[in-house]
Amino acid sequence: MEQTYSFQNKVPIAPLKICAMENCIGFAAKVDQQIRAMRQADQSAVAARKKQVAFYGYDADTYMVRNLMSRFGTGEGKGMLLDSVRGTDLYILTDVINHSLSYTVCGHTHYMSPDDHYQDLKRIISISVAHAHRVNVVMPFLYEGRQHRRTNRESLDCAFALEELVTMGVKNIITFDAHDPRITNAVPLHGLDNYMPTYQFFKAIFERDSNISIDKDHLMIISPDEGAMDRAVYFANNLGVDMGMFYKRRDYSQVVNGKNPIVAHEFLGSSVKGKTVIIIDDMISSGDSMLDTSRELKERGAVKVIVCCTFGLFTSGLSKFDEFYEKGFIDYVVTTNLNYRDPELLTKPWYIEADISSYAALIINTMNHDTGMSAALDPTRKIQKLINQYNSKEKEFTQLEFDFA
């Protein structure tokens, strides 16, 4: 393992603490484990902590802070911290789209919505912000991120939520693959960092498939719509291959399930016949659009279709993906572990997980040292190194998650 992530005895801004909401406790535990491994391996800092008070607790057994969310019979909630966060650099992790949790309202079971998770997040912030040295929020799926702009008489929920968080005293907000990165303009005077899991996608694909030829004659990147163009361009540029896109022609005269139905998919790009294609987007919601795109590509002669999305929501279930896999329209689907996934999904032969825990740990550890994040925001060098390894058929990939020097 490369260990070029030493901070050269740079003093942390404050003792690190991580508060994981119940909706992401598993992911947070992996992040905590990764940070412990990083700091124990950083021998220069471990030696320094023996001499400087500023490094007290640097290589702790855990950085997790216990919390408790409870409900009254009416469904009203309250939050409680079970450990002190006074003087700490606190990172609150939350997964606002975890639909597996529930509570009782007047004897009836109520499954938690994103609104419920967001309200619980504010409860923890309200407890800690007066005493912690700094409060940061790690929200992989940005709350209300799809309601990012106002086009009619409608609420601007995402911008309002961001303003509310910084007004409460949150110093930094960390998110991944925001639906529209321009939402950072809502809080221009505060820290809102948007990280992309591109490297982790490449790594997951290369570990799964050793037969991909990375050249423009055999590989092509596809954007399923105009909104994913930036992601597709970055993918294609790193691989040195062509890209294409689909234009969704919609019927704007009607609304079905909150959106205008798609009439047809129009493809813009060179031929995909005989090629492996990688479809890249930020999320799979119902999956209908992604599946239609996959079928269109197969019918146009693509030999392999790989779907890469940061967030796998699968709001309409998995049965249609099973059907398309059996018919050969999709070969496999890659999503990250940044959000809750139904246990059934993890058993599917067509599913691949891109683990982001090391990346998230690196981001938190670097921010705690109050040092530059430019390498984490642009991991191009790491991606190129990984591609070169793959092309040279070095299948024993080096663990590069910590290497941002």
Side-chain angles (χ1 to χ4, degrees):
M1 178 183 296
E2 298 190 17
Q3 295 180 357
T4 57
Y5 49 89
S6 171
F7 293 98
Q8 302 299 322
N9 296 340
K10 184 173 177 61
V11 176
I13 191 172
L16 173 65
K17 290 295 181 182
I18 297 173
C19 180
M21 307 298 291
E22 185 183 0
N23 53 38
C24 66
I25 192 68
F27 178 75
K30 295 183 71 173
V31 171
D32 178 56
Q33 181 183 14
Q34 293 286 352
I35 294 177
R36 283 186 280 128
M38 289 180 188
R39 294 194 168 187
Q40 289 167 6
D42 189 352
Q43 295 301 322
S44 60
V46 171
R49 66 141 171 78
K50 298 179 180 178
K51 303 175 183 178
Q52 301 181 33
V53 174
F55 280 88
Y56 173 75
Y58 188 80
D59 55 337
D61 293 334
T62 182
Y63 301 97
M64 300 284 279
V65 173
R66 296 172 299 160
N67 67 86
L68 177 65
M69 305 303 302
S70 56
R71 299 277 172 177
F72 298 99
T74 56
E76 298 166 286
K78 68 174 181 178
M80 179 184 300
L81 286 177
L82 304 181
D83 299 302
S84 174
V85 297
R86 187 176 296 274
T88 65
D89 187 24
L90 180 65
Y91 292 80
I92 306 174
L93 275 65
T94 184
D95 175 13
V96 297
I97 49 176
N98 187 329
H99 60 272
S100 68
L101 304 178
S102 64
Y103 59 89
T104 301
V105 180
C106 299
H108 301 282
T109 299
H110 172 80
Y111 283 93
M112 294 187 69
S113 70
D115 291 344
D116 293 317
H117 291 304
Y118 177 66
Q119 193 67 27
D120 282 351
L121 169 66
K122 292 194 293 180
R123 292 185 174 106
I124 294 297
I125 294 171
S126 69
I127 302 168
S128 56
V129 72
H131 306 293
H133 177 77
R134 185 173 70 175
V135 173
N136 314 274
V137 170
V138 182
M139 187 188 296
F141 187 95
L142 196 59
Y143 172 70
E144 290 286 2
R146 283 181 285 183
Q147 185 54 23
H148 56 94
R149 61 181 177 177
R150 177 182 290 152
T151 58
N152 209 323
R153 290 189 294 272
E154 56 189 7
S155 57
L156 198 57
D157 298 70
C158 188
F160 179 77
L162 293 174
E163 291 180 350
E164 188 175 26
L165 292 179
V166 299
T167 300
M168 292 183 71
V170 173
K171 296 299 182 184
N172 296 289
I173 301 170
I174 300 167
T175 191
F176 288 83
D177 201 355
H179 187 67
D180 187 340
R182 292 173 296 182
I183 195 62
T184 57
N185 296 329
V187 284
L189 301 182
H190 295 81
L192 173 53
D193 291 320
N194 178 43
Y195 295 94
M196 303 297 292
T198 312
Y199 169 76
Q200 287 73 19
F201 281 149
F202 282 124
K203 191 168 184 290
I205 292 172
F206 292 165
E207 288 180 343
R208 169 68 175 260
D209 197 332
S210 60
N211 297 314
I212 297 177
S213 298
I214 304 177
D215 60 67
K216 63 180 182 180
D217 295 324
H218 299 92
L219 181 63
M220 192 170 179
I221 307 302
I222 302 295
S223 171
D225 54 39
E226 58 274 22
M229 281 290 291
D230 288 344
R231 301 176 183 90
V233 168
Y234 185 70
F235 244 74
N237 285 343
N238 272 281
L239 292 167
V241 300
D242 290 335
M243 66 154 291
M245 70 162 285
F246 278 90
Y247 169 69
K248 298 176 183 176
R249 188 150 51 87
R250 296 180 180 272
D251 180 1
Y252 290 99
S253 65
Q254 57 179 317
V255 176
V256 179
N257 295 326
K259 57 187 178 182
N260 303 109
I262 298 171
V263 176
H265 289 82
E266 306 291 349
F267 182 66
L268 305 175
S270 58
S271 173
V272 300
K273 188 174 182 179
K275 296 180 182 180
T276 294
V277 296
I278 300 176
I279 308 172
I280 180 72
D281 207 352
D282 61 327
M283 73 179 75
I284 296 172
S285 184
S286 67
D288 290 342
S289 178
M290 193 64 68
L291 292 172
D292 289 343
T293 300
S294 300
R295 180 171 54 197
E296 291 276 351
L297 290 167
K298 282 284 187 171
E299 291 175 350
R300 283 173 164 81
V303 296
K304 185 180 294 183
V305 174
I306 304 168
V307 175
C308 286
C309 290
T310 305
F311 303 102
L313 310 183
F314 300 99
T315 56
S316 296
L318 305 174
S319 59
K320 198 166 183 179
F321 280 84
D322 290 333
E323 177 188 343
F324 272 58
Y325 175 71
E326 292 168 1
K327 291 180 177 179
F329 292 138
I330 58 171
D331 289 86
Y332 44 91
V333 177
V334 186
T335 74
T336 71
N337 58 342
L338 288 169
N339 65 284
Y340 170 80
R341 292 150 301 148
D342 193 292
E344 182 187 359
L345 174 64
L346 307 181
T347 68
K348 297 297 182 180
W350 46 263
Y351 178 71
I352 304 174
E353 175 188 282
D355 187 4
I356 311 296
S357 59
S358 293
Y359 191 24
L362 177 69
I363 293 167
I364 292 173
N365 198 28
T366 304
M367 289 190 70
N368 179 240
H369 286 82
D370 208 22
T371 191
M373 302 293 295
S374 58
L377 283 164
D378 182 17
T380 302
R381 184 179 64 83
K382 279 182 58 182
I383 292 171
Q384 288 304 312
K385 185 172 183 177
L386 188 67
I387 292 172
N388 290 336
Q389 284 182 327
Y390 184 84
N391 283 335
S392 61
K393 302 304 179 184
E394 295 179 19
K395 300 310 176 188
E396 294 295 328
F397 293 113
T398 305
Q399 293 286 339
L400 297 175
E401 276 76 14
F402 305 148
D403 178 22
F404 279 101

